[in-house]
Amino acid sequence: MLKPSAEDTQKITSVVKRKYKNVAESLEHQFQYPTGREGLRGLQYPEELFEWLPDDVAKWYCGVGNPFSLSDIRPGEHVLDLGCGAGVDTILAAKLAGPSGTAVGVDFSDEMIQRAQSNKALVELENVSFQIVDSAELPFDDEQFDVVTTNAMLNLAVDKAGVLKEVYRVLKEGGRLHVADQIFVGATMSGEQAVDSWFK
């Protein structure tokens, strides 16, 4: 796998952080696909699950797929959500895992984690938490999680191999990886150009 240069890594990271600083303020005109409850319904999240969300939380959903359709989150499980953004999937995972389980959301955007913390306060769940983290260097123990889930994060990760290596380190033996993502196909573009083009 071709490894991006340090310069490309810095440029791509800067573009993504700038984008999600804006997303944390408003989803309007940010994505080319449905967001909020319309997105949750269109991606066939269980209606009883997303209807439980307060409107002021549900409106921040901006995923590209339904990672929970890949296997059930069971009561008592420990879930890690990579690139959690505003935390909607993390909060839903915490609801499914129940009081005996946990859900941790991580993101490298300060602004998105602040938004996730605000959303957490609106649902009053005790078993959900959020941290600012580089997904290629996860601050968790080996085999800590039953499930790792990610929704449109891997396509934005510069060091995809590093992220996946960390994922399999923190997953328990027999654990599950839920990935919902999208693929950008572009020719003769720098990494920064590709990311900029993707967001337009």
Side-chain angles (χ1 to χ4, degrees):
M1 179 181 294
L2 183 63
K3 188 169 183 177
S5 68
E7 183 181 5
D8 269 353
T9 296
Q10 190 277 327
K11 287 179 178 178
I12 293 168
T13 301
S14 176
V15 170
V16 174
K17 284 190 173 184
R18 185 170 67 245
K19 166 71 176 185
Y20 282 93
K21 181 178 181 179
N22 294 334
V23 169
E25 296 175 1
S26 172
L27 293 185
E28 190 173 1
H29 307 305
Q30 297 285 359
F31 300 99
Q32 299 178 26
Y33 47 82
T35 57
R37 287 200 193 279
E38 184 184 358
L40 288 161
R41 185 174 290 108
L43 293 169
Q44 300 182 342
Y45 280 70
E47 188 165 354
E48 67 276 9
L49 189 61
F50 71 75
E51 287 297 339
W52 163 80
L53 287 170
D55 288 342
D56 284 343
V57 176
K59 72 180 183 182
W60 290 102
Y61 178 80
C62 57
V64 300
N66 176 2
F68 301 122
S69 67
L70 300 173
S71 75
D72 293 333
I73 305 295
R74 298 185 284 267
E77 290 195 312
H78 302 287
V79 182
L80 174 63
D81 183 13
L82 297 180
C84 66
V88 177
D89 276 339
T90 320
I91 288 167
L92 294 177
K95 176 71 170 174
L96 291 167
S100 61
T102 59
V104 181
V106 301
D107 202 287
F108 73 174
S109 165
D110 295 20
E111 293 82 6
M112 293 308 291
I113 289 295
Q114 289 171 17
R115 178 62 62 191
Q117 296 283 17
S118 297
N119 286 337
K120 174 187 173 181
L122 293 173
V123 296
E124 299 182 346
L125 289 177
E126 299 296 326
N127 65 332
V128 62
S129 62
F130 297 99
Q131 299 180 38
I132 300 170
V133 165
D134 180 344
S135 296
E137 297 180 9
L138 297 174
F140 304 113
D141 294 335
D142 294 356
E143 300 189 29
Q144 183 171 338
F145 296 98
D146 300 285
V147 181
V148 174
T149 185
T150 174
N151 197 340
M153 185 281 288
L154 278 176
N155 75 92
L156 299 176
V158 180
D159 184 6
K160 293 174 175 56
V163 171
L164 290 172
K165 183 177 180 180
E166 280 290 89
V167 165
Y168 285 105
R169 180 183 65 79
V170 302
L171 267 177
K172 295 178 181 179
E173 184 175 353
R176 289 112 60 209
L177 171 59
H178 294 174
V179 176
D181 222 309
Q182 53 193 345
I183 296 173
F184 175 79
V185 179
T188 63
M189 286 185 179
S190 70
E192 183 183 15
Q193 289 172 322
V195 172
D196 266 333
S197 175
W198 182 252
F199 284 138
K200 289 176 180 175

mmCIF file with all atom_site columns, all heavy atoms in Angstrom, residues 168-184:
data_model
loop_
_atom_site.group_PDB
_atom_site.id
_atom_site.type_symbol
_atom_site.label_atom_id
_atom_site.label_alt_id
_atom_site.label_comp_id
_atom_site.label_asym_id
_atom_site.label_entity_id
_atom_site.label_seq_id
_atom_site.pdbx_PDB_ins_code
_atom_site.Cartn_x
_atom_site.Cartn_y
_atom_site.Cartn_z
_atom_site.occupancy
_atom_site.B_iso_or_equiv
_atom_site.pdbx_formal_charge
_atom_site.auth_seq_id
_atom_site.auth_comp_id
_atom_site.auth_asym_id
_atom_site.auth_atom_id
_atom_site.pdbx_PDB_model_num
ATOM 1   N N   . TYR A 1 168 ? -7.903  -4.298  15.223 1.00 0.00 ? 168 TYR A N   1
ATOM 2   C CA  . TYR A 1 168 ? -7.786  -5.710  15.559 1.00 0.00 ? 168 TYR A CA  1
ATOM 3   C C   . TYR A 1 168 ? -7.027  -5.940  16.858 1.00 0.00 ? 168 TYR A C   1
ATOM 4   O O   . TYR A 1 168 ? -7.214  -6.963  17.516 1.00 0.00 ? 168 TYR A O   1
ATOM 5   C CB  . TYR A 1 168 ? -7.178  -6.481  14.390 1.00 0.00 ? 168 TYR A CB  1
ATOM 6   C CG  . TYR A 1 168 ? -8.192  -6.664  13.291 1.00 0.00 ? 168 TYR A CG  1
ATOM 7   C CD1 . TYR A 1 168 ? -8.127  -5.913  12.118 1.00 0.00 ? 168 TYR A CD1 1
ATOM 8   C CD2 . TYR A 1 168 ? -9.259  -7.546  13.445 1.00 0.00 ? 168 TYR A CD2 1
ATOM 9   C CE1 . TYR A 1 168 ? -9.089  -6.052  11.127 1.00 0.00 ? 168 TYR A CE1 1
ATOM 10  C CE2 . TYR A 1 168 ? -10.220 -7.689  12.466 1.00 0.00 ? 168 TYR A CE2 1
ATOM 11  C CZ  . TYR A 1 168 ? -10.129 -6.945  11.308 1.00 0.00 ? 168 TYR A CZ  1
ATOM 12  O OH  . TYR A 1 168 ? -11.090 -7.073  10.341 1.00 0.00 ? 168 TYR A OH  1
ATOM 13  N N   . ARG A 1 169 ? -6.244  -4.964  17.264 1.00 0.00 ? 169 ARG A N   1
ATOM 14  C CA  . ARG A 1 169 ? -5.578  -5.073  18.568 1.00 0.00 ? 169 ARG A CA  1
ATOM 15  C C   . ARG A 1 169 ? -6.586  -4.925  19.710 1.00 0.00 ? 169 ARG A C   1
ATOM 16  O O   . ARG A 1 169 ? -6.531  -5.666  20.694 1.00 0.00 ? 169 ARG A O   1
ATOM 17  C CB  . ARG A 1 169 ? -4.495  -3.998  18.702 1.00 0.00 ? 169 ARG A CB  1
ATOM 18  C CG  . ARG A 1 169 ? -3.750  -4.048  20.043 1.00 0.00 ? 169 ARG A CG  1
ATOM 19  C CD  . ARG A 1 169 ? -2.743  -2.941  20.187 1.00 0.00 ? 169 ARG A CD  1
ATOM 20  N NE  . ARG A 1 169 ? -3.340  -1.613  20.233 1.00 0.00 ? 169 ARG A NE  1
ATOM 21  C CZ  . ARG A 1 169 ? -3.919  -1.087  21.330 1.00 0.00 ? 169 ARG A CZ  1
ATOM 22  N NH1 . ARG A 1 169 ? -3.999  -1.785  22.450 1.00 0.00 ? 169 ARG A NH1 1
ATOM 23  N NH2 . ARG A 1 169 ? -4.413  0.135   21.284 1.00 0.00 ? 169 ARG A NH2 1
ATOM 24  N N   . VAL A 1 170 ? -7.510  -3.969  19.586 1.00 0.00 ? 170 VAL A N   1
ATOM 25  C CA  . VAL A 1 170 ? -8.436  -3.701  20.695 1.00 0.00 ? 170 VAL A CA  1
ATOM 26  C C   . VAL A 1 170 ? -9.667  -4.596  20.671 1.00 0.00 ? 170 VAL A C   1
ATOM 27  O O   . VAL A 1 170 ? -10.414 -4.637  21.662 1.00 0.00 ? 170 VAL A O   1
ATOM 28  C CB  . VAL A 1 170 ? -8.860  -2.219  20.722 1.00 0.00 ? 170 VAL A CB  1
ATOM 29  C CG1 . VAL A 1 170 ? -7.639  -1.318  20.848 1.00 0.00 ? 170 VAL A CG1 1
ATOM 30  C CG2 . VAL A 1 170 ? -9.704  -1.829  19.522 1.00 0.00 ? 170 VAL A CG2 1
ATOM 31  N N   . LEU A 1 171 ? -9.894  -5.313  19.566 1.00 0.00 ? 171 LEU A N   1
ATOM 32  C CA  . LEU A 1 171 ? -11.027 -6.243  19.509 1.00 0.00 ? 171 LEU A CA  1
ATOM 33  C C   . LEU A 1 171 ? -10.726 -7.522  20.285 1.00 0.00 ? 171 LEU A C   1
ATOM 34  O O   . LEU A 1 171 ? -9.632  -8.077  20.197 1.00 0.00 ? 171 LEU A O   1
ATOM 35  C CB  . LEU A 1 171 ? -11.338 -6.617  18.061 1.00 0.00 ? 171 LEU A CB  1
ATOM 36  C CG  . LEU A 1 171 ? -12.380 -5.806  17.306 1.00 0.00 ? 171 LEU A CG  1
ATOM 37  C CD1 . LEU A 1 171 ? -12.477 -6.296  15.865 1.00 0.00 ? 171 LEU A CD1 1
ATOM 38  C CD2 . LEU A 1 171 ? -13.750 -5.876  17.979 1.00 0.00 ? 171 LEU A CD2 1
ATOM 39  N N   . LYS A 1 172 ? -11.724 -7.986  21.017 1.00 0.00 ? 172 LYS A N   1
ATOM 40  C CA  . LYS A 1 172 ? -11.602 -9.281  21.681 1.00 0.00 ? 172 LYS A CA  1
ATOM 41  C C   . LYS A 1 172 ? -11.548 -10.401 20.647 1.00 0.00 ? 172 LYS A C   1
ATOM 42  O O   . LYS A 1 172 ? -12.008 -10.232 19.508 1.00 0.00 ? 172 LYS A O   1
ATOM 43  C CB  . LYS A 1 172 ? -12.802 -9.516  22.602 1.00 0.00 ? 172 LYS A CB  1
ATOM 44  C CG  . LYS A 1 172 ? -12.894 -8.560  23.774 1.00 0.00 ? 172 LYS A CG  1
ATOM 45  C CD  . LYS A 1 172 ? -14.132 -8.848  24.605 1.00 0.00 ? 172 LYS A CD  1
ATOM 46  C CE  . LYS A 1 172 ? -14.250 -7.875  25.775 1.00 0.00 ? 172 LYS A CE  1
ATOM 47  N NZ  . LYS A 1 172 ? -15.467 -8.123  26.569 1.00 0.00 ? 172 LYS A NZ  1
ATOM 48  N N   . GLU A 1 173 ? -11.010 -11.527 21.036 1.00 0.00 ? 173 GLU A N   1
ATOM 49  C CA  . GLU A 1 173 ? -11.048 -12.692 20.147 1.00 0.00 ? 173 GLU A CA  1
ATOM 50  C C   . GLU A 1 173 ? -12.502 -13.027 19.851 1.00 0.00 ? 173 GLU A C   1
ATOM 51  O O   . GLU A 1 173 ? -13.332 -13.125 20.761 1.00 0.00 ? 173 GLU A O   1
ATOM 52  C CB  . GLU A 1 173 ? -10.358 -13.882 20.807 1.00 0.00 ? 173 GLU A CB  1
ATOM 53  C CG  . GLU A 1 173 ? -10.268 -15.094 19.915 1.00 0.00 ? 173 GLU A CG  1
ATOM 54  C CD  . GLU A 1 173 ? -9.474  -16.234 20.542 1.00 0.00 ? 173 GLU A CD  1
ATOM 55  O OE1 . GLU A 1 173 ? -8.878  -16.024 21.623 1.00 0.00 ? 173 GLU A OE1 1
ATOM 56  O OE2 . GLU A 1 173 ? -9.477  -17.331 19.941 1.00 0.00 ? 173 GLU A OE2 1
ATOM 57  N N   . GLY A 1 174 ? -12.820 -13.148 18.583 1.00 0.00 ? 174 GLY A N   1
ATOM 58  C CA  . GLY A 1 174 ? -14.203 -13.390 18.182 1.00 0.00 ? 174 GLY A CA  1
ATOM 59  C C   . GLY A 1 174 ? -15.047 -12.133 18.097 1.00 0.00 ? 174 GLY A C   1
ATOM 60  O O   . GLY A 1 174 ? -16.253 -12.203 17.841 1.00 0.00 ? 174 GLY A O   1
ATOM 61  N N   . GLY A 1 175 ? -14.411 -10.961 18.303 1.00 0.00 ? 175 GLY A N   1
ATOM 62  C CA  . GLY A 1 175 ? -15.139 -9.701  18.209 1.00 0.00 ? 175 GLY A CA  1
ATOM 63  C C   . GLY A 1 175 ? -15.518 -9.367  16.777 1.00 0.00 ? 175 GLY A C   1
ATOM 64  O O   . GLY A 1 175 ? -15.075 -10.023 15.826 1.00 0.00 ? 175 GLY A O   1
ATOM 65  N N   . ARG A 1 176 ? -16.340 -8.339  16.606 1.00 0.00 ? 176 ARG A N   1
ATOM 66  C CA  . ARG A 1 176 ? -16.864 -7.992  15.281 1.00 0.00 ? 176 ARG A CA  1
ATOM 67  C C   . ARG A 1 176 ? -16.470 -6.567  14.895 1.00 0.00 ? 176 ARG A C   1
ATOM 68  O O   . ARG A 1 176 ? -16.458 -5.673  15.746 1.00 0.00 ? 176 ARG A O   1
ATOM 69  C CB  . ARG A 1 176 ? -18.398 -8.077  15.260 1.00 0.00 ? 176 ARG A CB  1
ATOM 70  C CG  . ARG A 1 176 ? -18.918 -9.507  15.318 1.00 0.00 ? 176 ARG A CG  1
ATOM 71  C CD  . ARG A 1 176 ? -19.619 -9.812  16.610 1.00 0.00 ? 176 ARG A CD  1
ATOM 72  N NE  . ARG A 1 176 ? -20.768 -8.975  16.874 1.00 0.00 ? 176 ARG A NE  1
ATOM 73  C CZ  . ARG A 1 176 ? -21.180 -8.675  18.110 1.00 0.00 ? 176 ARG A CZ  1
ATOM 74  N NH1 . ARG A 1 176 ? -20.510 -9.109  19.161 1.00 0.00 ? 176 ARG A NH1 1
ATOM 75  N NH2 . ARG A 1 176 ? -22.254 -7.929  18.307 1.00 0.00 ? 176 ARG A NH2 1
ATOM 76  N N   . LEU A 1 177 ? -16.182 -6.391  13.614 1.00 0.00 ? 177 LEU A N   1
ATOM 77  C CA  . LEU A 1 177 ? -15.910 -5.068  13.042 1.00 0.00 ? 177 LEU A CA  1
ATOM 78  C C   . LEU A 1 177 ? -17.054 -4.714  12.111 1.00 0.00 ? 177 LEU A C   1
ATOM 79  O O   . LEU A 1 177 ? -17.323 -5.428  11.148 1.00 0.00 ? 177 LEU A O   1
ATOM 80  C CB  . LEU A 1 177 ? -14.583 -5.076  12.282 1.00 0.00 ? 177 LEU A CB  1
ATOM 81  C CG  . LEU A 1 177 ? -14.258 -3.827  11.451 1.00 0.00 ? 177 LEU A CG  1
ATOM 82  C CD1 . LEU A 1 177 ? -14.210 -2.583  12.325 1.00 0.00 ? 177 LEU A CD1 1
ATOM 83  C CD2 . LEU A 1 177 ? -12.943 -4.025  10.693 1.00 0.00 ? 177 LEU A CD2 1
ATOM 84  N N   . HIS A 1 178 ? -17.733 -3.614  12.403 1.00 0.00 ? 178 HIS A N   1
ATOM 85  C CA  . HIS A 1 178 ? -18.833 -3.119  11.578 1.00 0.00 ? 178 HIS A CA  1
ATOM 86  C C   . HIS A 1 178 ? -18.345 -1.915  10.779 1.00 0.00 ? 178 HIS A C   1
ATOM 87  O O   . HIS A 1 178 ? -17.987 -0.895  11.373 1.00 0.00 ? 178 HIS A O   1
ATOM 88  C CB  . HIS A 1 178 ? -20.009 -2.668  12.450 1.00 0.00 ? 178 HIS A CB  1
ATOM 89  C CG  . HIS A 1 178 ? -20.689 -3.759  13.202 1.00 0.00 ? 178 HIS A CG  1
ATOM 90  N ND1 . HIS A 1 178 ? -21.688 -3.516  14.134 1.00 0.00 ? 178 HIS A ND1 1
ATOM 91  C CD2 . HIS A 1 178 ? -20.542 -5.108  13.162 1.00 0.00 ? 178 HIS A CD2 1
ATOM 92  C CE1 . HIS A 1 178 ? -22.113 -4.657  14.631 1.00 0.00 ? 178 HIS A CE1 1
ATOM 93  N NE2 . HIS A 1 178 ? -21.438 -5.631  14.065 1.00 0.00 ? 178 HIS A NE2 1
ATOM 94  N N   . VAL A 1 179 ? -18.340 -2.009  9.471  1.00 0.00 ? 179 VAL A N   1
ATOM 95  C CA  . VAL A 1 179 ? -17.878 -0.900  8.636  1.00 0.00 ? 179 VAL A CA  1
ATOM 96  C C   . VAL A 1 179 ? -18.976 -0.491  7.658  1.00 0.00 ? 179 VAL A C   1
ATOM 97  O O   . VAL A 1 179 ? -19.477 -1.316  6.890  1.00 0.00 ? 179 VAL A O   1
ATOM 98  C CB  . VAL A 1 179 ? -16.607 -1.277  7.834  1.00 0.00 ? 179 VAL A CB  1
ATOM 99  C CG1 . VAL A 1 179 ? -16.204 -0.132  6.910  1.00 0.00 ? 179 VAL A CG1 1
ATOM 100 C CG2 . VAL A 1 179 ? -15.463 -1.630  8.773  1.00 0.00 ? 179 VAL A CG2 1
ATOM 101 N N   . ALA A 1 180 ? -19.347 0.774   7.709  1.00 0.00 ? 180 ALA A N   1
ATOM 102 C CA  . ALA A 1 180 ? -20.186 1.389   6.670  1.00 0.00 ? 180 ALA A CA  1
ATOM 103 C C   . ALA A 1 180 ? -19.347 2.513   6.081  1.00 0.00 ? 180 ALA A C   1
ATOM 104 O O   . ALA A 1 180 ? -18.834 3.357   6.807  1.00 0.00 ? 180 ALA A O   1
ATOM 105 C CB  . ALA A 1 180 ? -21.473 1.937   7.272  1.00 0.00 ? 180 ALA A CB  1
ATOM 106 N N   . ASP A 1 181 ? -19.169 2.512   4.770  1.00 0.00 ? 181 ASP A N   1
ATOM 107 C CA  . ASP A 1 181 ? -18.267 3.511   4.197  1.00 0.00 ? 181 ASP A CA  1
ATOM 108 C C   . ASP A 1 181 ? -18.592 3.758   2.741  1.00 0.00 ? 181 ASP A C   1
ATOM 109 O O   . ASP A 1 181 ? -19.515 3.169   2.175  1.00 0.00 ? 181 ASP A O   1
ATOM 110 C CB  . ASP A 1 181 ? -16.808 3.084   4.354  1.00 0.00 ? 181 ASP A CB  1
ATOM 111 C CG  . ASP A 1 181 ? -15.916 4.252   4.763  1.00 0.00 ? 181 ASP A CG  1
ATOM 112 O OD1 . ASP A 1 181 ? -15.982 5.300   4.091  1.00 0.00 ? 181 ASP A OD1 1
ATOM 113 O OD2 . ASP A 1 181 ? -15.175 4.127   5.742  1.00 0.00 ? 181 ASP A OD2 1
ATOM 114 N N   . GLN A 1 182 ? -17.817 4.626   2.127  1.00 0.00 ? 182 GLN A N   1
ATOM 115 C CA  . GLN A 1 182 ? -17.979 4.971   0.726  1.00 0.00 ? 182 GLN A CA  1
ATOM 116 C C   . GLN A 1 182 ? -16.598 5.018   0.091  1.00 0.00 ? 182 GLN A C   1
ATOM 117 O O   . GLN A 1 182 ? -15.593 5.174   0.782  1.00 0.00 ? 182 GLN A O   1
ATOM 118 C CB  . GLN A 1 182 ? -18.686 6.312   0.585  1.00 0.00 ? 182 GLN A CB  1
ATOM 119 C CG  . GLN A 1 182 ? -18.040 7.435   1.383  1.00 0.00 ? 182 GLN A CG  1
ATOM 120 C CD  . GLN A 1 182 ? -18.920 8.659   1.494  1.00 0.00 ? 182 GLN A CD  1
ATOM 121 O OE1 . GLN A 1 182 ? -19.899 8.795   0.757  1.00 0.00 ? 182 GLN A OE1 1
ATOM 122 N NE2 . GLN A 1 182 ? -18.600 9.555   2.391  1.00 0.00 ? 182 GLN A NE2 1
ATOM 123 N N   . ILE A 1 183 ? -16.589 4.868   -1.216 1.00 0.00 ? 183 ILE A N   1
ATOM 124 C CA  . ILE A 1 183 ? -15.319 4.844   -1.947 1.00 0.00 ? 183 ILE A CA  1
ATOM 125 C C   . ILE A 1 183 ? -15.304 6.001   -2.922 1.00 0.00 ? 183 ILE A C   1
ATOM 126 O O   . ILE A 1 183 ? -16.266 6.233   -3.668 1.00 0.00 ? 183 ILE A O   1
ATOM 127 C CB  . ILE A 1 183 ? -15.145 3.513   -2.716 1.00 0.00 ? 183 ILE A CB  1
ATOM 128 C CG1 . ILE A 1 183 ? -15.070 2.336   -1.737 1.00 0.00 ? 183 ILE A CG1 1
ATOM 129 C CG2 . ILE A 1 183 ? -13.892 3.556   -3.569 1.00 0.00 ? 183 ILE A CG2 1
ATOM 130 C CD1 . ILE A 1 183 ? -15.076 0.989   -2.415 1.00 0.00 ? 183 ILE A CD1 1
ATOM 131 N N   . PHE A 1 184 ? -14.211 6.746   -2.909 1.00 0.00 ? 184 PHE A N   1
ATOM 132 C CA  . PHE A 1 184 ? -14.021 7.833   -3.870 1.00 0.00 ? 184 PHE A CA  1
ATOM 133 C C   . PHE A 1 184 ? -13.047 7.358   -4.939 1.00 0.00 ? 184 PHE A C   1
ATOM 134 O O   . PHE A 1 184 ? -11.972 6.852   -4.634 1.00 0.00 ? 184 PHE A O   1
ATOM 135 C CB  . PHE A 1 184 ? -13.460 9.075   -3.179 1.00 0.00 ? 184 PHE A CB  1
ATOM 136 C CG  . PHE A 1 184 ? -13.124 10.178  -4.146 1.00 0.00 ? 184 PHE A CG  1
ATOM 137 C CD1 . PHE A 1 184 ? -14.122 10.983  -4.661 1.00 0.00 ? 184 PHE A CD1 1
ATOM 138 C CD2 . PHE A 1 184 ? -11.823 10.387  -4.551 1.00 0.00 ? 184 PHE A CD2 1
ATOM 139 C CE1 . PHE A 1 184 ? -13.831 11.993  -5.559 1.00 0.00 ? 184 PHE A CE1 1
ATOM 140 C CE2 . PHE A 1 184 ? -11.511 11.400  -5.451 1.00 0.00 ? 184 PHE A CE2 1
ATOM 141 C CZ  . PHE A 1 184 ? -12.519 12.200  -5.956 1.00 0.00 ? 184 PHE A CZ  1
#
